């Protein structure tokens, strides 16, 4: 099994730096952080994946 790919990105809405891992699974990819997990289809663009990461981050980390 391949090792997870380590990702670091800055969230555009809040400026926080996010550390995540990218792991391939049977249906696509899973992006994991310490607080959330996001499934991404194989045919999803990088731009769409980053947008989905931003939404997941805002919904889980910045709730009132």
């Amino acid at each position: 099994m391949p090792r997870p790919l380590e990702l670091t990105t800055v969230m555009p809405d809040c400026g926080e730096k996010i550390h995540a891992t990218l792991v391939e699974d049977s249906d696509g990819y899973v992006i994991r952080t310490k607080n959330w997990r996001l499934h991404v289809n194989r045919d999803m663009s990088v731009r769409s994946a980053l947008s989905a990461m931003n939404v997941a981050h805002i919904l889980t980390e910045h709730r009132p």
Side-chain angles (χ1 to χ4, degrees):
M1 177 182 284
R3 290 178 40 148
L5 178 66
E6 300 289 328
L7 303 171
T8 301
T9 186
V10 176
M11 294 290 102
D13 290 343
C14 67
E16 275 187 63
K17 191 181 287 187
I18 301 298
H19 301 284
T21 58
L22 176 71
V23 180
E24 188 172 8
D25 74 359
S26 61
D27 296 326
Y29 301 94
V30 177
I31 300 169
R32 290 186 181 113
T33 69
K34 66 178 184 171
N35 296 322
W36 49 266
R37 179 175 44 191
L38 178 67
H39 179 79
V40 178
N41 294 329
R42 289 184 194 280
D43 61 350
M44 192 176 225
S45 70
V46 172
R47 179 177 290 196
S48 295
L50 288 172
S51 178
M53 285 177 67
N54 188 44
V55 169
H57 172 73
I58 294 298
L59 290 176
T60 59
E61 310 274 335
H62 295 286
R63 286 189 185 175

